[in-house]
Amino acid sequence: CLLAILCLLADAADESQELLHALSADDACRGAAVEEGKDSTCGLNALQKAMEISATALQQLQAREAKDFGAFDYVIVGAGSAGCPLAAKLAKAGHTVLLLEAGPDDDWKGLDVEDKPVDPLKPSHMASLAYAKGMSDQQLSVETTWPFDQPLTTLEAKAVNMSRSRRAFMTRAMIVGGCSMHNYLMYVRPNKENYDSWGPLWSWERLFPKFKAMEHSLETDVDELYHGKTGDCYVSPPYLYPVDEAWLRAAQKAGFRMNRDINGPTRVGMGTWPTSTVNGTRWSSGKAFLTPAVRALPNFKLVTEAHATQVLFEGKRAVGMKFQFNGSEWTAKAKREVILSAGAFRTPQLLMLSGVGPKDVLEDFDIKAVVINRGVG
């Protein structure tokens, strides 16, 4: 994952070309090893070379003199499922907020379907917005998705009957709304036990009221003890095909427990999931929280296609963010906090690029350590 984004930072033509050659050599080497029936380790040298090239490009990028973008109470990186509600709540409370998003806005190339509901009778209603709007996989991958992937392990390759030279694509959205613009629309809460196992700060008892407050359920047959009716996240009942209903009847006849509400008192049983939609239209995090009223606030600024490259520190205190925008390097100061909500891959990656992470990883990339923390990455 670290390599994938660093590739984007290698803007010098010769370095980019050398990086591609290193990766191509790695793929060819692993493919030859698979044909011979052996596990491949020969690509490690090529991969290490590619990392070194990318790290050099990153250092050159960070050494450029950056322009001043101004000072804000909060600088938030990532306008996804977490960043959008964070930014909206802070801005509505009167704080100055800068929200940086590496991808385009959610109306990119007609992806905003507010006035063009997806036909709920089509399978695309349960699929990604890209398919619903007729976008191709290539457009989705290149322009609104981070290029994360990982090689298959020997066990994984055998399980899916694939060559180990194949790589598994890890979909992470790069667009306002984040993965709520790419996912399959399922509105499903995790198990209570997951939260309780994380300790009292993240316990289900503490977080459930917040889930309920965010929900705006349009379902008519759910217990309001477990569901909210006034929040910003719209939730609709699913559309069931005849085969879905037949499958559920067969499961019940076979003796399986039915569960009418999987977001209710128990997750045990078979049933259907509600969807993050309104009248067949995807209801993303951006649409839910970055409303026209929020976008119009004088203390709120959303900058799209702004690629965050480094958290700025004074000692061990984060005081701002360096980012690429409109062909230039910029710095934005944070008077109160820098908030990283860039996703499960990009957030730890950005921390490591900024000097926060395991000592050995930082040393491998010649990144000056600010905080040694093996829990990052």
Side-chain angles (χ1 to χ4, degrees), residues 82-348:
C84 289
L86 276 170
K89 186 171 183 178
L90 289 169
K92 287 192 286 188
H95 301 289
T96 55
V97 177
L98 173 63
L99 179 58
L100 301 174
E101 169 54 46
D105 210 337
D106 56 12
D107 61 354
W108 172 81
K109 292 189 178 180
L111 282 183
D112 188 345
V113 294
E114 181 177 10
D115 299 320
K116 301 175 182 178
V118 179
D119 185 349
L121 299 182
K122 293 182 179 179
S124 58
H125 172 65
M126 299 306 297
S128 73
L129 183 58
Y131 296 123
K133 292 296 293 177
M135 302 295 293
S136 70
D137 285 334
Q138 184 178 12
Q139 287 173 305
L140 176 68
S141 299
V142 172
E143 301 186 63
T144 65
T145 303
W146 290 103
F148 291 126
D149 63 13
Q150 67 178 17
L152 298 175
T153 66
T154 302
L155 186 61
E156 289 170 337
K158 288 181 178 179
V160 296
N161 194 28
M162 285 185 177
S163 164
R164 279 203 65 199
S165 64
R166 293 286 297 271
R167 302 181 71 86
F169 180 51
M170 312 294 288
T171 304
R172 304 304 301 172
M174 186 173 62
I175 188 171
V176 170
C179 289
S180 68
M181 284 291 285
H182 278 192
N183 63 23
Y184 279 77
L185 305 173
M186 297 183 294
Y187 185 83
V188 182
R189 296 173 186 156
N191 283 313
K192 171 181 180 295
E193 289 75 15
N194 289 78
Y195 290 93
D196 289 340
S197 68
W198 294 344
L201 185 63
W202 299 98
S203 69
W204 179 256
E205 181 181 2
R206 190 169 186 266
L207 293 181
F208 170 68
K210 302 182 187 300
F211 284 131
K212 185 176 177 181
M214 293 173 64
E215 183 180 9
H216 191 138
S217 178
L218 300 178
E219 298 179 282
T220 58
D221 59 344
V222 293
D223 189 343
E224 293 192 19
L225 179 64
Y226 299 98
H227 296 275
K229 293 286 187 178
T230 60
D232 297 305
C233 297
Y234 280 89
V235 181
S236 298
Y239 177 84
L240 295 183
Y241 292 91
V243 67
D244 299 324
E245 296 171 341
W247 190 90
L248 289 171
R249 288 195 300 271
Q252 186 173 20
K253 186 176 180 180
F256 289 96
R257 175 180 174 178
M258 295 293 103
N259 188 344
R260 184 175 55 83
D261 181 10
I262 61 171
N263 291 317
T266 180
R267 292 287 303 281
V268 178
M270 294 191 178
T272 59
W273 62 77
T275 63
S276 297
T277 60
V278 179
N279 297 324
T281 298
R282 174 180 294 269
W283 195 252
S284 68
S285 179
K287 193 174 294 294
F289 297 101
L290 298 188
T291 61
V294 169
R295 290 176 181 241
L297 290 173
N299 56 313
F300 172 73
K301 188 171 186 63
L302 168 66
V303 183
T304 57
E305 300 186 45
H307 182 90
T309 57
Q310 184 183 13
V311 181
L312 301 177
F313 287 92
E314 289 181 359
K316 293 187 177 182
R317 177 176 174 78
V319 296
M321 180 63 59
K322 183 178 284 190
F323 61 98
Q324 290 178 288
F325 172 65
N326 201 23
S328 299
E329 284 294 303
W330 299 84
T331 59
K333 293 291 185 180
K335 293 183 284 187
R336 300 192 66 166
E337 292 181 13
V338 174
I339 299 174
L340 302 184
S341 56
F345 296 164
R346 270 291 286 154
T347 289

